Amino acid sequence: QKVKNLNSSYGSDFLTIYLDTIRVIDLLELKEKTIFKCKDYISLKEMHDDYSARFNAMKDIKKAELYSSSVKDFLYLNCIIEDVEFEVVSTSERLNLEGLKMQHCIYTYLNRICEKRYLAINATHLITKEMATALLIYSNRQLYSYLFFIYSSRYSKRKLPH
């Protein structure tokens, strides 16, 4: 009867949040009876939001660690050639900032970089401060040029296939 009343008050949202909260409790490896702390919809929603945020934070930390370990073998590529500095994008946070700053979709390659299928490199001209991002394919223990994103104050954003 209570579930019927809650469903009529909150729609199918209650059941969805309840099931998702149980799933997140399981993912966090908490005791299943934790759900019984919820006495009403509001406490369930608060638990759901709190545990979901905790799970996402843990997931983000694990993904960040995986990203860093995936690119560490390529840090030797960091170098300066003439007036251009080449630097492997060494953290998932920097990958996100690279995409935001350069206004392109490099962050969507996060999982593929973690799987060591791609590698992102930032290139910065030391005098003009113009920047570019190279996305390289890693296959058969070799790197191949794939996409080259350019953004600078002088030029509009471009994506050049290589």
Side-chain angles (χ1 to χ4, degrees), residues 102-161:
M102 303 280 287
Q103 300 177 10
H104 58 58
C105 64
I106 193 75
Y107 194 74
T108 63
Y109 287 87
L110 174 70
N111 289 335
R112 289 171 270 193
I113 293 171
C114 288
E115 295 164 356
K116 294 186 176 183
R117 293 172 35 208
Y118 289 87
L119 180 66
I121 295 181
N122 172 274
T124 304
H125 192 273
L126 297 173
I127 297 170
T128 65
K129 303 301 182 199
E130 291 181 66
M131 298 172 67
T133 307
L135 183 64
L136 307 177
I137 294 175
Y138 185 67
S139 178
N140 298 322
R141 301 173 69 88
Q142 293 189 16
L143 289 168
Y144 302 93
S145 179
Y146 178 59
L147 287 176
F148 202 66
F149 299 94
I150 297 175
Y151 185 83
S152 74
S153 56
R154 287 210 221 137
Y155 305 104
S156 61
K157 182 174 60 167
R158 295 185 283 174
K159 183 171 78 172
L160 304 173

Side-chain angles (χ1 to χ4, degrees), residues 22-38:
I22 291 173
R23 183 184 64 79
V24 173
I25 286 171
D26 184 49
L27 290 170
L28 290 172
E29 298 177 359
L30 299 172
K31 293 180 181 175
E32 291 177 5
K33 63 183 180 181
T34 305
I35 193 76
F36 297 126
K37 292 180 183 177
C38 299

Side-chain angles (χ1 to χ4, degrees), residues 34-128:
T34 305
I35 193 76
F36 297 126
K37 292 180 183 177
C38 299
K39 302 298 181 202
D40 55 20
Y41 176 80
I42 293 169
S43 62
L44 175 66
K45 180 86 168 97
E46 287 172 354
M47 179 183 279
H48 171 270
D49 293 349
D50 178 43
Y51 285 1
S52 294
R54 290 172 191 256
F55 176 71
N56 285 331
M58 287 174 48
K59 190 171 71 172
D60 290 346
I61 289 168
K62 288 179 182 177
K63 182 66 82 169
E65 290 170 354
L66 180 60
Y67 181 93
S68 294
S69 71
S70 295
V71 301
K72 73 178 181 190
D73 293 338
F74 298 102
L75 295 177
Y76 72 91
L77 295 172
N78 293 349
C79 64
I80 296 174
I81 300 173
E82 295 183 16
D83 293 332
V84 180
E85 179 178 19
F86 296 91
E87 185 176 11
V88 171
V89 181
S90 58
T91 66
S92 59
E93 181 182 22
R94 284 204 48 226
L95 186 72
N96 187 23
L97 293 172
E98 182 90 8
L100 291 171
K101 185 177 185 178
M102 303 280 287
Q103 300 177 10
H104 58 58
C105 64
I106 193 75
Y107 194 74
T108 63
Y109 287 87
L110 174 70
N111 289 335
R112 289 171 270 193
I113 293 171
C114 288
E115 295 164 356
K116 294 186 176 183
R117 293 172 35 208
Y118 289 87
L119 180 66
I121 295 181
N122 172 274
T124 304
H125 192 273
L126 297 173
I127 297 170
T128 65

